[in-house]
Amino acid sequence: MNKFLLAVHVLAAIVAVGPVTVAASMFPPSVRKALAEPGDAQALSTVRVLHRICRLYATVGVAVPVFGFATAKNMGVLGDTWLIVSIALTALAAVVLAALVLPRQTALVEGVEGMAECIEQGVGEGGEGAANGGASRVGPRDTARLAMFTGLFNLLWATVTILMIVRPGSTTGA
């Protein structure tokens, strides 16, 4: 049973967390491109798809800790320091994603969409006219801040992955 649970846990991490880390990393430069070319439908579409991937796979990613806890319980390692640290870092990564990355992505998507709508209506190109046209004002500073939070999320997951492989102090063997 341990091997089955571990396999599902690892597969869930690869299938769910992997796409979030990649799509979230691609999101800020894609938004910068969409901001630079506000009338580009392809750039807007890319931003929307990347955000959708992040939202969907973040939800699917809940399976990772669920199967992780089940595996740890069966292996009798719930009290091991490496696992407790991994659990804390996983929780922190989830908070970063849910509270800092996804809401900022949503705001940037809405801002880029608003700029595109204003351009289609001839209101302006993202400046004063776009703000008056109902588009939220977004810019490169917003994408830089999002990139920082995304990098933090990715760093947390990389650290958890290393802890899961190395398992410092583990008596179950690595």
Side-chain angles (χ1 to χ4, degrees):
M1 185 60 133
N2 285 349
K3 289 182 181 182
F4 171 75
L5 290 172
L6 183 59
V8 173
H9 171 64
V10 170
L11 285 171
I14 291 168
V15 170
V17 179
V20 173
T21 60
V22 172
S25 295
M26 293 173 64
F27 189 87
S30 296
V31 170
R32 283 191 289 275
K33 181 177 186 222
L35 290 172
E37 303 168 17
D40 185 356
Q42 181 66 34
L44 177 58
S45 178
T46 299
V47 168
R48 287 177 177 153
V49 167
L50 291 171
H51 182 51
R52 192 172 312 125
I53 289 169
C54 290
R55 284 192 334 255
L56 174 67
Y57 284 97
T59 304
V60 174
V62 172
V64 176
V66 168
F67 283 100
F69 273 112
T71 303
K73 183 178 178 206
N74 274 4
M75 292 175 68
V77 295
L78 277 174
D80 286 9
T81 304
W82 66 270
L83 185 65
I84 293 169
V85 171
S86 293
I87 291 168
L89 292 175
T90 299
L92 183 57
V95 168
V96 168
L97 183 64
L100 300 173
V101 174
L102 293 177
R104 281 175 171 75
Q105 282 186 353
T106 300
L108 286 167
V109 169
E110 290 170 357
V112 171
E113 287 174 341
M115 287 177 64
E117 288 174 16
C118 287
I119 288 183
E120 286 175 10
Q121 297 169 0
V123 176
E125 290 201 8
E128 190 68 32
N132 293 336
S136 63
R137 299 194 67 182
V138 296
R141 294 186 85 199
D142 299 308
T143 63
R145 191 171 293 116
L146 175 60
M148 177 187 67
F149 291 131
T150 300
L152 176 61
F153 171 76
N154 291 344
L155 181 62
L156 288 167
W157 271 114
T159 305
V160 169
T161 301
I162 291 167
L163 284 172
M164 291 288 156
I165 293 168
V166 176
R167 300 188 293 184
S170 173
T171 58
T172 59

